[in-house]
Amino acid sequence: MEKIDRRTDFSILRYANCWEDPLLLLKGLAVVPGDRVLSIGSAGDNSFSLLTADPEQVVAVDISKTQLALIALKKAAIWRLDYPDLLGFLGFRDAENRLELLQMLKGDLSTDEWAFWNAHPEWIEAGVVHAGKFERYFQLFSRKVLPWIHRKSTVEQLLAPKSAADQQAFYDRTWNTGRWRLLFKLFFSRFVMGRLGRDPEFMREVDVHVGKAIFERAEQHLRMPLSQTNAMLRYNLTGNFGTLLPHYLLPEHYEAVKARVDRLVLVEGYAEHAIQQYGTFQRMNLSNIFEYMNMDTFRKTATALVQGLSFHGRMAYWNLLVPRYLSNLPDLPLTRLEPLSATLKSTDQGFYYRDFIVEERNG
């Protein structure tokens, strides 16, 4: 079966943050102390968040050495730096000493990891959470496109606290202009997103009108008060997180993550490789990896993953634009937890996702 790493360049930094809601994973997977969790690496955020549930181990796996280098950098920063310096170093707060802080992390990084980050001081100086291709895509929208639609004051009004009725009224009467609808759909179209945000190969299996699908999900979310405290949405519209923080860096979670960060191990390769190396897992965070697979690869990958999931173990994943459901495949001992999945999807801060699925092994 053809693997995506043969068609796509994974040497670039694609994601500096995880653009998925970790609360859905924590509630859906229901990790308990002693569980071993397989987690797609990406930018590491959700793997760090899973540590708050006190698992025995989280194995973060990714086919990209660059993404793993990012996770290693964040892991070292969490372990070595105090909280204010950590927020400043990563780019969530202003800081002028990021290169100096990087030197403090040298002993916690491998030779290859250190060489990578030492070769990219511009990413460190800017704050690494702003350095990914996907982040630059959102920055381009907020800085070059959105000003043609709304003023900064109008953006802040949209994100300001207000009642559900007022939020909906503001969106309908003030925000939802013809220019907003047109430019949003163009910028988040298959063509533009494939080249500036993700990769054309990631869109190979997509057969829907991308801009229209994402617009409809965004519109639904922007009418809800949930959008007012959504860090991902704020970044989409402003190019920064403001005072908001991802789950793993919130003060109420940070100490637990720091105390358990040594339980996070990194594996280069596919999820199946981590199973071969570490054995059976009780929980799996599979991100939206099935989006990129043709049906033959999807079936074979699904079989391998289910074989690596313990009895009554759970896996969770997202569908963005391509519908993929493991429990629909014949002969796989999986049950979709439909009420739980639907309830969690209704609160998803990753509003652009089509679906969130929790499935349990039943045999």
Side-chain angles (χ1 to χ4, degrees):
M1 56 183 173
E2 186 182 16
K3 295 290 191 178
I4 195 171
D5 60 340
R6 298 175 186 172
R7 312 190 309 263
T8 308
D9 180 10
F10 282 96
S11 65
I12 67 173
L13 183 63
R14 292 192 175 277
Y15 306 103
N17 305 271
C18 283
W19 298 96
E20 300 160 345
D21 190 340
L23 289 179
L24 273 63
L25 289 175
L26 289 165
K27 294 175 181 178
L29 292 177
V31 176
V32 297
D35 278 350
R36 297 175 61 252
V37 184
L38 176 65
S39 181
I40 299 301
S42 184
D45 303 5
N46 287 348
S47 299
F48 291 124
S49 285
L50 287 165
L51 292 172
T52 64
D54 199 19
E56 176 183 318
Q57 187 180 58
V58 175
V59 177
V61 60
D62 207 288
I63 58 178
S64 168
K65 287 184 178 180
T66 302
Q67 295 298 147
L68 291 173
L70 173 65
I71 301 173
L73 182 73
K74 290 182 178 181
K75 178 180 176 180
I78 290 169
W79 174 250
R80 186 64 57 184
L81 304 180
D82 63 28
Y83 189 59
D85 279 344
L86 172 64
L87 298 183
F89 173 73
L90 293 178
F92 293 101
R93 300 291 182 265
D94 292 336
E96 298 181 355
N97 62 338
R98 291 184 179 126
L99 291 178
E100 296 173 21
L101 293 172
L102 176 65
Q103 293 294 324
M104 295 175 59
L105 309 181
K106 183 175 182 179
D108 300 301
L109 299 172
S110 71
T111 301
D112 288 345
E113 290 161 354
W114 171 252
F116 178 84
W117 291 112
N118 200 40
H120 293 286
E122 72 283 3
W123 291 355
I124 298 296
E125 285 187 298
V128 73
V129 297
H130 305 295
K133 180 181 179 181
F134 208 50
E135 285 73 23
R136 294 195 300 273
Y137 178 58
F138 288 140
Q139 291 162 20
L140 180 63
F141 179 73
S142 65
R143 295 171 185 173
K144 300 298 184 180
V145 179
L146 194 55
W148 287 92
I149 306 172
H150 290 300
R151 297 176 180 176
K152 286 185 178 180
S153 60
T154 307
V155 176
E156 290 301 328
Q157 284 180 278
L158 176 75
L159 299 175
K162 61 181 78 67
S163 69
D166 287 343
Q167 182 73 24
Q168 181 170 341
F170 185 85
Y171 179 84
D172 291 339
R173 298 170 186 171
T174 303
W175 188 267
N176 190 23
T177 64
R179 187 175 292 185
W180 159 253
R181 294 189 294 272
L182 174 64
L183 293 182
F184 184 99
K185 291 175 185 176
L186 285 174
F187 192 81
F188 292 96
S189 67
R190 179 189 186 116
F191 178 82
V192 177
M193 183 186 293
R195 281 153 182 78
L196 299 181
R198 306 183 83 203
D199 188 283
E201 283 296 329
F202 292 178
M203 316 293 279
R204 176 179 283 203
E205 296 295 315
V206 175
D207 63 358
V208 299
H209 188 295
V210 175
K212 181 174 182 291
I214 294 178
F215 176 82
E216 289 172 353
R217 294 169 203 164
E219 182 173 63
Q220 182 179 10
H221 186 75
L222 289 168
R223 284 191 167 117
M224 300 166 59
L226 186 64
S227 64
Q228 299 161 14
T229 55
N230 188 331
M232 291 181 275
L233 176 62
R234 176 165 283 277
Y235 200 97
N236 298 165
L237 297 180
T238 68
N240 65 76
F241 292 104
T243 61
L244 302 175
L245 291 170
H247 174 271
Y248 76 101
L249 288 179
L250 291 172
E252 60 266 35
H253 303 308
Y254 160 74
E255 291 297 339
V257 173
K258 185 180 183 74
R260 299 165 186 161
V261 75
D262 62 328
R263 303 184 194 179
L264 177 67
V265 298
L266 308 183
V267 173
E268 181 185 351
Y270 289 92
E272 305 96 292
H273 298 150
I275 293 170
Q276 293 168 6
Q277 185 172 346
Y278 285 90
T280 302
F281 291 87
Q282 286 74 48
R283 301 290 187 265
M284 293 182 179
N285 157 35
L286 300 175
S287 185
N288 67 324
I289 61 172
F290 306 120
E291 294 273 328
Y292 317 137
M293 301 176 184
N294 60 38
M295 283 304 298
D296 181 57
T297 303
F298 174 52
R299 292 187 191 98
K300 293 176 180 178
T301 302
T303 299
L305 291 174
V306 172
Q307 289 174 349
L309 185 65
S310 66
F311 183 60
H312 288 316
R314 288 187 183 184
M315 57 172 58
Y317 55 95
W318 281 266
N319 285 333
L320 177 59
L321 295 165
V322 182
R324 293 280 191 263
Y325 299 93
L326 277 73
S327 54
N328 284 354
L329 296 174
D331 303 322
L332 284 186
L334 283 178
T335 300
R336 191 183 313 164
L337 305 182
E338 294 189 16
L340 175 62
S341 300
T343 298
L344 293 174
K345 179 63 185 78
S346 69
T347 66
D348 193 355
Q349 298 229 355
F351 54 90
Y352 27 76
Y353 282 103
R354 174 181 186 147
D355 208 353
F356 177 73
I357 304 99
V358 183
E359 295 173 328
E360 184 172 286
R361 179 164 183 176
N362 55 31

